[in-house]
Amino acid sequence: AHSALNQVRRRAYNGDTRKDLSNLSQDEMRAAIRRERSYELCFEGHRKSDLIRWGEYYKTIRATAQEVADWASTTNASYIVFDYTQEGKHELMPIPQTQLDIMPRFDQNPGWGQ
């Protein structure tokens, strides 16, 4: 994994091997890979799926909402932070009612009613 991560970093830093990562613990390596994915794929629509897969979606959304609110309160910016995310609900999408009607043994995903 170190080699693959460093290949990505070298491409991003024009081959600069001084930016390589080495001697990382398992937790440090996971954090580094997560950070790299957030930079590398930032506008490609993978972030939410990654955060859900890693079990960090709710925590990250809450922290980001708080950071934006804190920033807006110290500037003249007029930002309103709508924090509608509910833990355990927004990690899954609701099952469409048409599908629930076809398969009555299925239950709606948690937090989505029925």
Side-chain angles (χ1 to χ4, degrees):
H2 280 91
S3 175
L5 181 60
N6 286 329
Q7 284 179 348
V8 172
R9 293 177 62 82
R10 287 177 192 156
R11 183 186 49 77
Y13 291 108
N14 295 320
D16 189 352
T17 58
R18 293 175 297 173
K19 302 291 185 176
D20 284 3
L21 299 176
S22 60
N23 300 320
L24 300 177
S25 70
Q26 183 176 4
D27 289 339
E28 292 169 333
M29 179 57 113
R30 284 185 178 150
I33 289 170
R34 290 173 180 167
R35 218 175 13 260
E36 291 296 325
R37 279 189 65 85
S38 72
Y39 301 145
E40 191 73 19
L41 305 173
C42 61
F43 297 109
E44 296 184 19
H46 298 282
R47 186 74 173 145
K48 182 178 181 182
S49 298
D50 283 348
L51 293 173
I52 289 170
R53 184 175 64 246
W54 298 328
E56 297 182 357
Y57 178 72
Y58 180 75
K59 177 183 72 170
T60 302
I61 294 299
R62 295 286 301 145
T64 302
Q66 188 61 55
E67 288 174 17
V68 171
D70 292 346
W71 170 80
S73 70
T74 61
T75 66
N76 291 330
S78 57
Y79 280 86
I80 298 172
V81 177
F82 293 102
D83 186 13
Y84 64 87
T85 303
Q86 297 174 23
E87 189 170 15
K89 176 180 180 181
H90 291 104
E91 289 84 354
L92 298 172
M93 297 294 291
I95 300 171
Q97 187 61 49
T98 55
Q99 299 304 305
L100 291 172
D101 292 344
I102 293 169
M103 306 256 193
R105 293 189 324 190
F106 282 10
D107 291 326
Q108 183 58 270
N109 283 329
W112 292 101
Q114 188 167 357

